[in-house]
Structures are given as C-alpha cells and as structure tokens.
Amino acid sequence: AQTNNKYVEGNYWAAVGNDALAMAVFNGGSMCLTREEKDTLSIPLAYQNAYAWGEKCIWGTREHTFALRPVTGEFTPTVLHREALDYTYPLVVTEGEGTVDGTEELNFLPLETSCNVAVSAYYVKNGKTYLRVYEFAGADGTVTLQGYRLHICDLLEQETGECFDETVSVTGRQIRTFRVEKK
C-alpha cells in the first residue's frame, strides 16, 4: 500500500515514485526490498545483523535475482503485486497421462478471480483436488471456477459443509481453501 513512512520493507516488491512516474523492483531472492530516505530503493543481498528466524553463516555460492519495472501513468498496487508474484513464482508446468479411448481432450482450469485475489496453491491430496486463494488488497473479491462446485475447507482440508456453485466471495485479507469438484 502507498505510504509516506521513512523506511518500508517489501518481500515481493517495492516502488518509489508518484502517480505519473515510478520505479518498482520485484524480488526474486534477495533478503527484502527497502525504501530508504529520499525515495531510494536498496536491495540487500546479505547482512550481518541478528535475524528473526535465526542467524546463519553465509557460505558458498549465492544467487539473487530481481527485476526493475518502470511504471508510467497510474500507480496500481494490485497490478504490481500480481506481476511481482508472477515473477517470483513462475508458472509450473506438469505432465499428465490421458486415456486412450479414441478422443483427445485438453482441459484448462477455467478459473477467474478479481484483480485483488491471487491463487496460492492448486494441488491434489488423497485423490481430491484443492484450490487455495487469498485477498491481498483489503477489499472484497470473487473466485469463479466455471463448471465446478467449490466446497469450503479449512487450511487442513477439512470441509466446513458450505458449498458454492462456480462463484464464491472472498473478503479483505481472507485466505480460503476449496475442494473443487467437477459438476
């Protein structure tokens, strides 16, 4: 979110500028991104202070990646957040085997989300398929999965008994897990 704070740390992205011109940095492996004084950004690759998750000695080869993303015109944090997630967590492709019954079918997950809702996981566990999403901008959003029922679950895949056909709402800052079932 936009702020006038003197120091800001961003795990996925940070930017400096205004509504006409800005520079964003997407993080792909540094410790964080820091807005310093006078609208400058730093990209700490390593540091020696005490660390929240324990101190570690730096040893061997390290690889750090980041991307510069100029912004002209309207500064839209939700768009930058989605782009930063795409940069940090690129699409994973997996292979699967189909049946040999004379037909060929290619199915893509017909998923649509509001611009402020991101998918954090899509996986199969014990033969059931799960989808986890979260809202990151503090506003209500929606998830639509055409042709599927969405069974609400907790973070441990325990169903709550609620079920929605195709579209379900997500409130601000909410994380939701669904067991998805083809209609």
Side-chain angles (χ1 to χ4, degrees), residues 66-116:
F66 54 89
L68 301 176
R69 168 41 162 104
V71 180
T72 57
E74 184 181 356
F75 184 88
T76 310
T78 55
V79 171
L80 287 178
H81 190 73
R82 277 189 168 277
E83 289 178 3
L85 288 175
D86 288 342
Y87 174 77
T88 303
Y89 302 107
L91 177 65
V92 175
V93 178
T94 184
E95 293 181 17
E97 292 186 27
T99 59
V100 184
D101 61 0
T103 62
E104 294 182 17
E105 184 177 322
L106 180 62
N107 287 320
F108 293 99
L109 191 64
L111 177 67
E112 292 181 30
T113 65
S114 304
C115 66
N116 58 324

mmCIF file of all heavy atoms in Angstrom, residues 66-116:
data_model
loop_
_atom_site.group_PDB
_atom_site.id
_atom_site.type_symbol
_atom_site.label_atom_id
_atom_site.label_comp_id
_atom_site.label_asym_id
_atom_site.label_seq_id
_atom_site.Cartn_x
_atom_site.Cartn_y
_atom_site.Cartn_z
ATOM 1 N N PHE A 66 16.391 -10.121 -9.184
ATOM 2 C CA PHE A 66 15.379 -9.089 -9.014
ATOM 3 C C PHE A 66 15.130 -8.479 -10.382
ATOM 4 O O PHE A 66 15.917 -8.653 -11.309
ATOM 5 C CB PHE A 66 15.795 -8.032 -7.993
ATOM 6 C CG PHE A 66 17.128 -7.397 -8.262
ATOM 7 C CD1 PHE A 66 17.216 -6.271 -9.060
ATOM 8 C CD2 PHE A 66 18.292 -7.943 -7.729
ATOM 9 C CE1 PHE A 66 18.440 -5.687 -9.320
ATOM 10 C CE2 PHE A 66 19.525 -7.362 -7.979
ATOM 11 C CZ PHE A 66 19.600 -6.238 -8.776
ATOM 12 N N ALA A 67 14.016 -7.793 -10.522
ATOM 13 C CA ALA A 67 13.659 -7.182 -11.798
ATOM 14 C C ALA A 67 13.250 -5.738 -11.571
ATOM 15 O O ALA A 67 12.595 -5.417 -10.586
ATOM 16 C CB ALA A 67 12.508 -7.948 -12.447
ATOM 17 N N LEU A 68 13.640 -4.876 -12.493
ATOM 18 C CA LEU A 68 13.217 -3.471 -12.476
ATOM 19 C C LEU A 68 11.982 -3.329 -13.336
ATOM 20 O O LEU A 68 11.947 -3.815 -14.461
ATOM 21 C CB LEU A 68 14.335 -2.571 -12.998
ATOM 22 C CG LEU A 68 15.655 -2.638 -12.236
ATOM 23 C CD1 LEU A 68 16.692 -1.766 -12.911
ATOM 24 C CD2 LEU A 68 15.458 -2.227 -10.783
ATOM 25 N N ARG A 69 10.967 -2.666 -12.819
ATOM 26 C CA ARG A 69 9.703 -2.499 -13.544
ATOM 27 C C ARG A 69 9.312 -1.021 -13.525
ATOM 28 O O ARG A 69 8.813 -0.512 -12.530
ATOM 29 C CB ARG A 69 8.663 -3.375 -12.867
ATOM 30 C CG ARG A 69 7.176 -3.243 -13.186
ATOM 31 C CD ARG A 69 6.793 -3.040 -14.614
ATOM 32 N NE ARG A 69 5.395 -3.341 -14.825
ATOM 33 C CZ ARG A 69 4.447 -2.422 -14.972
ATOM 34 N NH1 ARG A 69 4.740 -1.143 -14.923
ATOM 35 N NH2 ARG A 69 3.213 -2.774 -15.200
ATOM 36 N N PRO A 70 9.581 -0.283 -14.637
ATOM 37 C CA PRO A 70 9.153 1.115 -14.681
ATOM 38 C C PRO A 70 7.624 1.204 -14.718
ATOM 39 O O PRO A 70 6.970 0.349 -15.302
ATOM 40 C CB PRO A 70 9.760 1.646 -15.980
ATOM 41 C CG PRO A 70 10.341 0.493 -16.686
ATOM 42 C CD PRO A 70 10.255 -0.713 -15.832
ATOM 43 N N VAL A 71 7.101 2.230 -14.082
ATOM 44 C CA VAL A 71 5.653 2.452 -14.048
ATOM 45 C C VAL A 71 5.394 3.860 -14.550
ATOM 46 O O VAL A 71 5.918 4.818 -13.998
ATOM 47 C CB VAL A 71 5.098 2.299 -12.615
ATOM 48 C CG1 VAL A 71 3.600 2.539 -12.604
ATOM 49 C CG2 VAL A 71 5.439 0.937 -12.034
ATOM 50 N N THR A 72 4.603 3.969 -15.613
ATOM 51 C CA THR A 72 4.193 5.282 -16.102
ATOM 52 C C THR A 72 2.685 5.362 -16.017
ATOM 53 O O THR A 72 1.991 4.378 -16.209
ATOM 54 C CB THR A 72 4.649 5.521 -17.554
ATOM 55 O OG1 THR A 72 4.136 4.481 -18.374
ATOM 56 C CG2 THR A 72 6.158 5.554 -17.660
ATOM 57 N N GLY A 73 2.182 6.527 -15.724
ATOM 58 C CA GLY A 73 0.735 6.692 -15.578
ATOM 59 C C GLY A 73 0.292 6.269 -14.198
ATOM 60 O O GLY A 73 1.015 6.415 -13.210
ATOM 61 N N GLU A 74 -0.901 5.702 -14.133
ATOM 62 C CA GLU A 74 -1.499 5.348 -12.848
ATOM 63 C C GLU A 74 -0.688 4.273 -12.118
ATOM 64 O O GLU A 74 -0.307 3.269 -12.697
ATOM 65 C CB GLU A 74 -2.925 4.856 -13.052
ATOM 66 C CG GLU A 74 -3.649 4.562 -11.761
ATOM 67 C CD GLU A 74 -5.071 4.059 -11.990
ATOM 68 O OE1 GLU A 74 -5.516 4.011 -13.144
ATOM 69 O OE2 GLU A 74 -5.711 3.719 -10.998
ATOM 70 N N PHE A 75 -0.437 4.507 -10.850
ATOM 71 C CA PHE A 75 0.283 3.574 -9.990
ATOM 72 C C PHE A 75 -0.744 2.646 -9.356
ATOM 73 O O PHE A 75 -1.533 3.067 -8.526
ATOM 74 C CB PHE A 75 1.040 4.365 -8.921
ATOM 75 C CG PHE A 75 1.888 3.516 -8.027
ATOM 76 C CD1 PHE A 75 3.190 3.227 -8.384
ATOM 77 C CD2 PHE A 75 1.395 3.015 -6.840
ATOM 78 C CE1 PHE A 75 3.991 2.458 -7.570
ATOM 79 C CE2 PHE A 75 2.180 2.244 -6.016
ATOM 80 C CZ PHE A 75 3.482 1.959 -6.381
ATOM 81 N N THR A 76 -0.780 1.388 -9.764
ATOM 82 C CA THR A 76 -1.782 0.445 -9.293
ATOM 83 C C THR A 76 -1.120 -0.671 -8.489
ATOM 84 O O THR A 76 -0.554 -1.593 -9.070
ATOM 85 C CB THR A 76 -2.555 -0.158 -10.486
ATOM 86 O OG1 THR A 76 -2.990 0.906 -11.329
ATOM 87 C CG2 THR A 76 -3.753 -0.956 -10.019
ATOM 88 N N PRO A 77 -1.170 -0.604 -7.152
ATOM 89 C CA PRO A 77 -0.507 -1.623 -6.336
ATOM 90 C C PRO A 77 -0.990 -3.046 -6.591
ATOM 91 O O PRO A 77 -0.204 -3.980 -6.543
ATOM 92 C CB PRO A 77 -0.816 -1.196 -4.901
ATOM 93 C CG PRO A 77 -1.067 0.270 -4.990
ATOM 94 C CD PRO A 77 -1.722 0.471 -6.324
ATOM 95 N N THR A 78 -2.292 -3.246 -6.866
ATOM 96 C CA THR A 78 -2.767 -4.613 -7.096
ATOM 97 C C THR A 78 -2.158 -5.217 -8.356
ATOM 98 O O THR A 78 -1.827 -6.394 -8.378
ATOM 99 C CB THR A 78 -4.305 -4.674 -7.182
ATOM 100 O OG1 THR A 78 -4.758 -3.758 -8.177
ATOM 101 C CG2 THR A 78 -4.947 -4.353 -5.850
ATOM 102 N N VAL A 79 -1.979 -4.418 -9.399
ATOM 103 C CA VAL A 79 -1.345 -4.919 -10.623
ATOM 104 C C VAL A 79 0.117 -5.250 -10.354
ATOM 105 O O VAL A 79 0.614 -6.307 -10.761
ATOM 106 C CB VAL A 79 -1.478 -3.893 -11.773
ATOM 107 C CG1 VAL A 79 -0.632 -4.298 -12.969
ATOM 108 C CG2 VAL A 79 -2.937 -3.728 -12.172
ATOM 109 N N LEU A 80 0.826 -4.361 -9.648
ATOM 110 C CA LEU A 80 2.231 -4.631 -9.328
ATOM 111 C C LEU A 80 2.375 -5.880 -8.464
ATOM 112 O O LEU A 80 3.299 -6.679 -8.650
ATOM 113 C CB LEU A 80 2.861 -3.433 -8.624
ATOM 114 C CG LEU A 80 3.154 -2.225 -9.492
ATOM 115 C CD1 LEU A 80 3.728 -1.090 -8.654
ATOM 116 C CD2 LEU A 80 4.094 -2.573 -10.621
ATOM 117 N N HIS A 81 1.456 -6.078 -7.530
ATOM 118 C CA HIS A 81 1.529 -7.251 -6.667
ATOM 119 C C HIS A 81 1.368 -8.529 -7.486
ATOM 120 O O HIS A 81 2.124 -9.490 -7.327
ATOM 121 C CB HIS A 81 0.474 -7.180 -5.565
ATOM 122 C CG HIS A 81 0.647 -8.227 -4.515
ATOM 123 N ND1 HIS A 81 1.643 -8.178 -3.576
ATOM 124 C CD2 HIS A 81 -0.033 -9.377 -4.279
ATOM 125 C CE1 HIS A 81 1.575 -9.242 -2.791
ATOM 126 N NE2 HIS A 81 0.562 -9.981 -3.204
ATOM 127 N N ARG A 82 0.399 -8.556 -8.386
ATOM 128 C CA ARG A 82 0.198 -9.736 -9.246
ATOM 129 C C ARG A 82 1.428 -9.979 -10.125
ATOM 130 O O ARG A 82 1.882 -11.106 -10.277
ATOM 131 C CB ARG A 82 -1.034 -9.565 -10.137
ATOM 132 C CG ARG A 82 -2.316 -9.908 -9.449
ATOM 133 C CD ARG A 82 -3.454 -9.923 -10.475
ATOM 134 N NE ARG A 82 -4.625 -10.510 -9.911
ATOM 135 C CZ ARG A 82 -4.871 -11.809 -9.842
ATOM 136 N NH1 ARG A 82 -4.008 -12.656 -10.305
ATOM 137 N NH2 ARG A 82 -5.977 -12.271 -9.320
ATOM 138 N N GLU A 83 1.977 -8.923 -10.719
ATOM 139 C CA GLU A 83 3.165 -9.074 -11.566
ATOM 140 C C GLU A 83 4.355 -9.562 -10.745
ATOM 141 O O GLU A 83 5.138 -10.390 -11.213
ATOM 142 C CB GLU A 83 3.500 -7.756 -12.258
ATOM 143 C CG GLU A 83 2.519 -7.365 -13.335
ATOM 144 C CD GLU A 83 2.867 -6.027 -13.976
ATOM 145 O OE1 GLU A 83 3.905 -5.417 -13.641
ATOM 146 O OE2 GLU A 83 2.080 -5.576 -14.822
ATOM 147 N N ALA A 84 4.498 -9.062 -9.529
ATOM 148 C CA ALA A 84 5.608 -9.484 -8.667
ATOM 149 C C ALA A 84 5.463 -10.957 -8.290
ATOM 150 O O ALA A 84 6.458 -11.702 -8.258
ATOM 151 C CB ALA A 84 5.672 -8.617 -7.418
ATOM 152 N N LEU A 85 4.259 -11.408 -7.999
ATOM 153 C CA LEU A 85 4.040 -12.826 -7.701
ATOM 154 C C LEU A 85 4.340 -13.689 -8.920
ATOM 155 O O LEU A 85 4.936 -14.762 -8.805
ATOM 156 C CB LEU A 85 2.611 -13.064 -7.221
ATOM 157 C CG LEU A 85 2.283 -12.560 -5.822
ATOM 158 C CD1 LEU A 85 0.795 -12.742 -5.527
ATOM 159 C CD2 LEU A 85 3.129 -13.252 -4.774
ATOM 160 N N ASP A 86 3.928 -13.228 -10.110
ATOM 161 C CA ASP A 86 4.242 -13.957 -11.341
ATOM 162 C C ASP A 86 5.750 -14.058 -11.553
ATOM 163 O O ASP A 86 6.256 -15.077 -12.022
ATOM 164 C CB ASP A 86 3.608 -13.284 -12.559
ATOM 165 C CG ASP A 86 2.097 -13.465 -12.606
ATOM 166 O OD1 ASP A 86 1.582 -14.360 -11.912
ATOM 167 O OD2 ASP A 86 1.442 -12.703 -13.333
ATOM 168 N N TYR A 87 6.475 -13.004 -11.200
ATOM 169 C CA TYR A 87 7.932 -13.008 -11.340
ATOM 170 C C TYR A 87 8.581 -13.956 -10.326
ATOM 171 O O TYR A 87 9.439 -14.765 -10.664
ATOM 172 C CB TYR A 87 8.490 -11.597 -11.161
ATOM 173 C CG TYR A 87 9.996 -11.560 -11.145
ATOM 174 C CD1 TYR A 87 10.715 -11.666 -12.329
ATOM 175 C CD2 TYR A 87 10.691 -11.452 -9.956
ATOM 176 C CE1 TYR A 87 12.092 -11.656 -12.322
ATOM 177 C CE2 TYR A 87 12.080 -11.437 -9.937
ATOM 178 C CZ TYR A 87 12.771 -11.544 -11.125
ATOM 179 O OH TYR A 87 14.147 -11.541 -11.109
ATOM 180 N N THR A 88 8.160 -13.862 -9.071
ATOM 181 C CA THR A 88 8.767 -14.654 -8.008
ATOM 182 C C THR A 88 8.373 -16.123 -8.098
ATOM 183 O O THR A 88 9.180 -17.003 -7.830
ATOM 184 C CB THR A 88 8.364 -14.092 -6.626
ATOM 185 O OG1 THR A 88 8.759 -12.720 -6.579
ATOM 186 C CG2 THR A 88 9.047 -14.835 -5.495
ATOM 187 N N TYR A 89 7.133 -16.388 -8.472
ATOM 188 C CA TYR A 89 6.636 -17.767 -8.569
ATOM 189 C C TYR A 89 6.122 -18.020 -9.980
ATOM 190 O O TYR A 89 4.929 -17.967 -10.239
ATOM 191 C CB TYR A 89 5.511 -18.001 -7.561
ATOM 192 C CG TYR A 89 5.930 -17.735 -6.145
ATOM 193 C CD1 TYR A 89 5.497 -16.605 -5.465
ATOM 194 C CD2 TYR A 89 6.788 -18.615 -5.485
ATOM 195 C CE1 TYR A 89 5.891 -16.363 -4.161
ATOM 196 C CE2 TYR A 89 7.190 -18.369 -4.188
ATOM 197 C CZ TYR A 89 6.739 -17.254 -3.523
ATOM 198 O OH TYR A 89 7.133 -17.002 -2.244
ATOM 199 N N PRO A 90 7.029 -18.300 -10.921
ATOM 200 C CA PRO A 90 6.588 -18.510 -12.291
ATOM 201 C C PRO A 90 5.702 -19.755 -12.415
ATOM 202 O O PRO A 90 5.727 -20.636 -11.549
ATOM 203 C CB PRO A 90 7.895 -18.683 -13.066
ATOM 204 C CG PRO A 90 8.919 -19.023 -12.049
ATOM 205 C CD PRO A 90 8.459 -18.458 -10.752
ATOM 206 N N LEU A 91 4.935 -19.797 -13.480
ATOM 207 C CA LEU A 91 4.028 -20.899 -13.744
ATOM 208 C C LEU A 91 4.781 -22.222 -13.758
ATOM 209 O O LEU A 91 5.813 -22.361 -14.414
ATOM 210 C CB LEU A 91 3.326 -20.688 -15.095
ATOM 211 C CG LEU A 91 2.396 -21.798 -15.555
ATOM 212 C CD1 LEU A 91 1.207 -21.929 -14.609
ATOM 213 C CD2 LEU A 91 1.932 -21.531 -16.966
ATOM 214 N N VAL A 92 4.269 -23.185 -13.022
ATOM 215 C CA VAL A 92 4.854 -24.520 -13.004
ATOM 216 C C VAL A 92 4.045 -25.387 -13.948
ATOM 217 O O VAL A 92 2.827 -25.424 -13.884
ATOM 218 C CB VAL A 92 4.827 -25.119 -11.577
ATOM 219 C CG1 VAL A 92 5.329 -26.547 -11.584
ATOM 220 C CG2 VAL A 92 5.640 -24.252 -10.633
ATOM 221 N N VAL A 93 4.734 -26.078 -14.820
ATOM 222 C CA VAL A 93 4.077 -26.939 -15.793
ATOM 223 C C VAL A 93 4.351 -28.381 -15.407
ATOM 224 O O VAL A 93 5.466 -28.741 -15.036
ATOM 225 C CB VAL A 93 4.602 -26.653 -17.214
ATOM 226 C CG1 VAL A 93 3.961 -27.583 -18.219
ATOM 227 C CG2 VAL A 93 4.346 -25.204 -17.584
ATOM 228 N N THR A 94 3.328 -29.197 -15.486
ATOM 229 C CA THR A 94 3.495 -30.617 -15.196
ATOM 230 C C THR A 94 2.852 -31.433 -16.300
ATOM 231 O O THR A 94 1.970 -30.951 -17.009
ATOM 232 C CB THR A 94 2.870 -30.969 -13.823
ATOM 233 O OG1 THR A 94 3.140 -32.332 -13.531
ATOM 234 C CG2 THR A 94 1.370 -30.740 -13.821
ATOM 235 N N GLU A 95 3.333 -32.646 -16.471
ATOM 236 C CA GLU A 95 2.778 -33.527 -17.484
ATOM 237 C C GLU A 95 1.788 -34.483 -16.849
ATOM 238 O O GLU A 95 1.906 -34.821 -15.679
ATOM 239 C CB GLU A 95 3.891 -34.348 -18.138
ATOM 240 C CG GLU A 95 4.849 -33.518 -18.953
ATOM 241 C CD GLU A 95 5.919 -34.373 -19.611
ATOM 242 O OE1 GLU A 95 5.722 -35.597 -19.700
ATOM 243 O OE2 GLU A 95 6.919 -33.807 -20.038
ATOM 244 N N GLY A 96 0.846 -34.930 -17.633
ATOM 245 C CA GLY A 96 -0.111 -35.929 -17.170
ATOM 246 C C GLY A 96 -0.444 -36.864 -18.309
ATOM 247 O O GLY A 96 -0.259 -36.532 -19.485
ATOM 248 N N GLU A 97 -0.912 -38.040 -17.974
ATOM 249 C CA GLU A 97 -1.284 -39.005 -18.995
ATOM 250 C C GLU A 97 -2.787 -38.979 -19.186
ATOM 251 O O GLU A 97 -3.538 -38.872 -18.225
ATOM 252 C CB GLU A 97 -0.835 -40.401 -18.577
ATOM 253 C CG GLU A 97 0.675 -40.556 -18.561
ATOM 254 C CD GLU A 97 1.099 -41.980 -18.277
ATOM 255 O OE1 GLU A 97 0.324 -42.906 -18.580
ATOM 256 O OE2 GLU A 97 2.196 -42.155 -17.749
ATOM 257 N N GLY A 98 -3.206 -39.104 -20.423
ATOM 258 C CA GLY A 98 -4.621 -39.169 -20.737
ATOM 259 C C GLY A 98 -5.035 -40.592 -21.015
ATOM 260 O O GLY A 98 -4.216 -41.509 -21.052
ATOM 261 N N THR A 99 -6.321 -40.782 -21.197
ATOM 262 C CA THR A 99 -6.814 -42.110 -21.537
ATOM 263 C C THR A 99 -6.744 -42.311 -23.035
ATOM 264 O O THR A 99 -6.766 -41.363 -23.818
ATOM 265 C CB THR A 99 -8.267 -42.297 -21.068
ATOM 266 O OG1 THR A 99 -9.065 -41.290 -21.709
ATOM 267 C CG2 THR A 99 -8.379 -42.151 -19.563
ATOM 268 N N VAL A 100 -6.649 -43.548 -23.441
ATOM 269 C CA VAL A 100 -6.583 -43.876 -24.870
ATOM 270 C C VAL A 100 -7.923 -44.488 -25.249
ATOM 271 O O VAL A 100 -8.079 -45.692 -25.336
ATOM 272 C CB VAL A 100 -5.417 -44.856 -25.158
ATOM 273 C CG1 VAL A 100 -5.298 -45.123 -26.647
ATOM 274 C CG2 VAL A 100 -4.125 -44.312 -24.594
ATOM 275 N N ASP A 101 -8.914 -43.639 -25.462
ATOM 276 C CA ASP A 101 -10.241 -44.133 -25.829
ATOM 277 C C ASP A 101 -10.700 -43.558 -27.157
ATOM 278 O O ASP A 101 -11.873 -43.561 -27.471
ATOM 279 C CB ASP A 101 -11.253 -43.828 -24.729
ATOM 280 C CG ASP A 101 -11.405 -42.329 -24.486
ATOM 281 O OD1 ASP A 101 -10.734 -41.533 -25.171
ATOM 282 O OD2 ASP A 101 -12.202 -41.944 -23.605
ATOM 283 N N GLY A 102 -9.769 -43.046 -27.923
ATOM 284 C CA GLY A 102 -10.103 -42.517 -29.239
ATOM 285 C C GLY A 102 -10.415 -41.036 -29.246
ATOM 286 O O GLY A 102 -10.537 -40.450 -30.307
ATOM 287 N N THR A 103 -10.560 -40.416 -28.079
ATOM 288 C CA THR A 103 -10.821 -38.979 -28.042
ATOM 289 C C THR A 103 -9.640 -38.277 -27.402
ATOM 290 O O THR A 103 -8.934 -38.835 -26.572
ATOM 291 C CB THR A 103 -12.082 -38.649 -27.227
ATOM 292 O OG1 THR A 103 -11.883 -39.076 -25.881
ATOM 293 C CG2 THR A 103 -13.306 -39.342 -27.800
ATOM 294 N N GLU A 104 -9.436 -37.073 -27.825
ATOM 295 C CA GLU A 104 -8.395 -36.244 -27.218
ATOM 296 C C GLU A 104 -9.054 -35.003 -26.669
ATOM 297 O O GLU A 104 -9.842 -34.357 -27.344
ATOM 298 C CB GLU A 104 -7.337 -35.869 -28.259
ATOM 299 C CG GLU A 104 -6.543 -37.054 -28.753
ATOM 300 C CD GLU A 104 -5.467 -36.633 -29.738
ATOM 301 O OE1 GLU A 104 -5.130 -35.444 -29.785
ATOM 302 O OE2 GLU A 104 -4.986 -37.500 -30.469
ATOM 303 N N GLU A 105 -8.734 -34.694 -25.435
ATOM 304 C CA GLU A 105 -9.320 -33.533 -24.796
ATOM 305 C C GLU A 105 -8.255 -32.825 -23.980
ATOM 306 O O GLU A 105 -7.479 -33.461 -23.275
ATOM 307 C CB GLU A 105 -10.457 -33.974 -23.863
ATOM 308 C CG GLU A 105 -11.193 -32.816 -23.223
ATOM 309 C CD GLU A 105 -12.356 -33.295 -22.371
ATOM 310 O OE1 GLU A 105 -13.040 -34.249 -22.761
ATOM 311 O OE2 GLU A 105 -12.551 -32.707 -21.305
ATOM 312 N N LEU A 106 -8.205 -31.529 -24.114
ATOM 313 C CA LEU A 106 -7.267 -30.710 -23.354
ATOM 314 C C LEU A 106 -8.083 -29.791 -22.468
ATOM 315 O O LEU A 106 -8.876 -28.988 -22.963
ATOM 316 C CB LEU A 106 -6.374 -29.901 -24.305
ATOM 317 C CG LEU A 106 -5.346 -28.989 -23.673
ATOM 318 C CD1 LEU A 106 -4.348 -29.808 -22.848
ATOM 319 C CD2 LEU A 106 -4.608 -28.206 -24.747
ATOM 320 N N ASN A 107 -7.932 -29.939 -21.165
ATOM 321 C CA ASN A 107 -8.695 -29.128 -20.219
ATOM 322 C C ASN A 107 -7.792 -28.155 -19.489
ATOM 323 O O ASN A 107 -6.756 -28.543 -18.973
ATOM 324 C CB ASN A 107 -9.389 -30.023 -19.182
ATOM 325 C CG ASN A 107 -10.545 -30.765 -19.761
ATOM 326 O OD1 ASN A 107 -11.293 -30.226 -20.552
ATOM 327 N ND2 ASN A 107 -10.700 -32.017 -19.373
ATOM 328 N N PHE A 108 -8.190 -26.919 -19.465
ATOM 329 C CA PHE A 108 -7.537 -25.914 -18.652
ATOM 330 C C PHE A 108 -8.489 -25.576 -17.518
ATOM 331 O O PHE A 108 -9.705 -25.675 -17.661
ATOM 332 C CB PHE A 108 -7.231 -24.648 -19.458
ATOM 333 C CG PHE A 108 -6.206 -24.867 -20.525
ATOM 334 C CD1 PHE A 108 -6.585 -25.070 -21.836
ATOM 335 C CD2 PHE A 108 -4.867 -24.883 -20.202
ATOM 336 C CE1 PHE A 108 -5.632 -25.280 -22.814
ATOM 337 C CE2 PHE A 108 -3.907 -25.096 -21.173
ATOM 338 C CZ PHE A 108 -4.298 -25.293 -22.480
ATOM 339 N N LEU A 109 -7.956 -25.188 -16.411
ATOM 340 C CA LEU A 109 -8.790 -24.822 -15.284
ATOM 341 C C LEU A 109 -9.468 -23.484 -15.605
ATOM 342 O O LEU A 109 -8.793 -22.468 -15.731
ATOM 343 C CB LEU A 109 -7.931 -24.697 -14.022
ATOM 344 C CG LEU A 109 -8.656 -24.580 -12.708
ATOM 345 C CD1 LEU A 109 -9.447 -25.860 -12.421
ATOM 346 C CD2 LEU A 109 -7.673 -24.322 -11.589
ATOM 347 N N PRO A 110 -10.795 -23.471 -15.758
ATOM 348 C CA PRO A 110 -11.496 -22.231 -16.123
ATOM 349 C C PRO A 110 -11.694 -21.319 -14.913
ATOM 350 O O PRO A 110 -12.805 -21.061 -14.481
ATOM 351 C CB PRO A 110 -12.829 -22.739 -16.675
ATOM 352 C CG PRO A 110 -13.056 -24.038 -15.959
ATOM 353 C CD PRO A 110 -11.695 -24.616 -15.681
ATOM 354 N N LEU A 111 -10.588 -20.817 -14.385
ATOM 355 C CA LEU A 111 -10.592 -20.037 -13.157
ATOM 356 C C LEU A 111 -10.502 -18.553 -13.460
ATOM 357 O O LEU A 111 -9.670 -18.119 -14.249
ATOM 358 C CB LEU A 111 -9.401 -20.459 -12.286
ATOM 359 C CG LEU A 111 -9.189 -19.705 -10.979
ATOM 360 C CD1 LEU A 111 -10.319 -19.990 -10.004
ATOM 361 C CD2 LEU A 111 -7.853 -20.081 -10.372
ATOM 362 N N GLU A 112 -11.351 -17.776 -12.799
ATOM 363 C CA GLU A 112 -11.295 -16.322 -12.873
ATOM 364 C C GLU A 112 -11.335 -15.777 -11.455
ATOM 365 O O GLU A 112 -12.112 -16.256 -10.633
ATOM 366 C CB GLU A 112 -12.481 -15.766 -13.663
ATOM 367 C CG GLU A 112 -12.464 -16.104 -15.133
ATOM 368 C CD GLU A 112 -13.663 -15.502 -15.869
ATOM 369 O OE1 GLU A 112 -14.149 -14.436 -15.441
ATOM 370 O OE2 GLU A 112 -14.100 -16.106 -16.843
ATOM 371 N N THR A 113 -10.486 -14.779 -11.175
ATOM 372 C CA THR A 113 -10.501 -14.132 -9.866
ATOM 373 C C THR A 113 -10.560 -12.627 -10.053
ATOM 374 O O THR A 113 -10.192 -12.108 -11.105
ATOM 375 C CB THR A 113 -9.235 -14.469 -9.049
ATOM 376 O OG1 THR A 113 -8.094 -13.927 -9.708
ATOM 377 C CG2 THR A 113 -9.064 -15.965 -8.855
ATOM 378 N N SER A 114 -11.005 -11.941 -9.020
ATOM 379 C CA SER A 114 -10.926 -10.482 -9.007
ATOM 380 C C SER A 114 -9.446 -10.104 -9.070
ATOM 381 O O SER A 114 -8.579 -10.896 -8.707
ATOM 382 C CB SER A 114 -11.522 -9.927 -7.713
ATOM 383 O OG SER A 114 -12.834 -10.365 -7.536
ATOM 384 N N CYS A 115 -9.148 -8.872 -9.484
ATOM 385 C CA CYS A 115 -7.748 -8.444 -9.606
ATOM 386 C C CYS A 115 -7.025 -8.423 -8.259
ATOM 387 O O CYS A 115 -5.804 -8.439 -8.214
ATOM 388 C CB CYS A 115 -7.652 -7.085 -10.295
ATOM 389 S SG CYS A 115 -8.364 -5.735 -9.334
ATOM 390 N N ASN A 116 -7.756 -8.442 -7.157
ATOM 391 C CA ASN A 116 -7.149 -8.403 -5.823
ATOM 392 C C ASN A 116 -7.110 -9.775 -5.146
ATOM 393 O O ASN A 116 -6.820 -9.875 -3.969
ATOM 394 C CB ASN A 116 -7.909 -7.416 -4.932
ATOM 395 C CG ASN A 116 -9.374 -7.774 -4.799
ATOM 396 O OD1 ASN A 116 -9.998 -8.248 -5.746
ATOM 397 N ND2 ASN A 116 -9.953 -7.536 -3.646
#
